[in-house]
Amino acid sequence: MMRGMGNMQKMMKQMQKMQRDMEKAQAELAEKTVEGTAGGGMVTVVANGHKQILEVRIKEEVVDPEDIDMLQDLVLAATNDALKKVDELTAETMGQFTKGLNIPGLF
């Protein structure tokens, strides 16, 4: 019985360490940025690892007052590209904690 308690304590310490490591990794994600682009780089959207849009850059030559729809589409496409890259970054960063675990919807 005492042996089982020792294993339980060891497992709890491992879980606490993993939790601290996960919190650190999540904080680091906030510091990382990705860029999504559209229109061959005419529109660039910068987002951090917490899916916050930090910057939108639009090249002057893509701005056409007669074709606002195209500009809106480019901004939308660049934003979606940036958010997709954040998802990939998150999966890569946080996936190390879920290796071997099959927990649907965790990351």
Side-chain angles (χ1 to χ4, degrees):
M1 176 126 174
M2 291 300 282
R3 187 166 191 253
M5 292 296 287
N7 286 340
M8 182 65 108
Q9 287 177 337
K10 182 179 178 183
M11 187 173 77
M12 290 299 290
K13 285 183 182 184
Q14 288 174 337
M15 293 295 287
Q16 289 169 345
K17 181 187 180 317
M18 187 171 91
Q19 183 177 6
R20 285 191 306 273
D21 291 347
M22 285 177 67
E23 289 169 358
K24 180 181 175 194
Q26 286 177 326
E28 289 172 357
L29 276 173
E31 302 299 318
K32 294 182 181 182
T33 61
V34 297
E35 287 190 4
T37 60
M42 296 302 244
V43 175
T44 301
V45 173
V46 179
N48 69 14
H50 286 176
K51 292 188 175 182
Q52 296 169 321
I53 304 302
L54 304 175
E55 185 179 351
V56 176
R57 295 189 301 263
I58 301 171
K59 292 197 175 179
E60 188 175 318
E61 54 266 27
V62 79
V63 179
D64 179 358
E66 301 297 317
D67 195 1
I68 297 298
D69 288 338
M70 181 189 68
L71 180 57
Q72 291 171 336
D73 288 344
L74 289 173
V75 171
L76 183 63
T79 301
N80 285 330
D81 186 41
L83 295 178
K84 178 179 172 253
K85 289 177 180 177
V86 170
D87 286 341
E88 291 167 357
L89 178 64
T90 300
E92 179 183 311
T93 302
M94 301 306 288
Q96 64 184 321
F97 299 107
T98 59
K99 284 182 189 164
L101 299 177
N102 189 11
I103 305 172
L106 188 55
F107 292 110

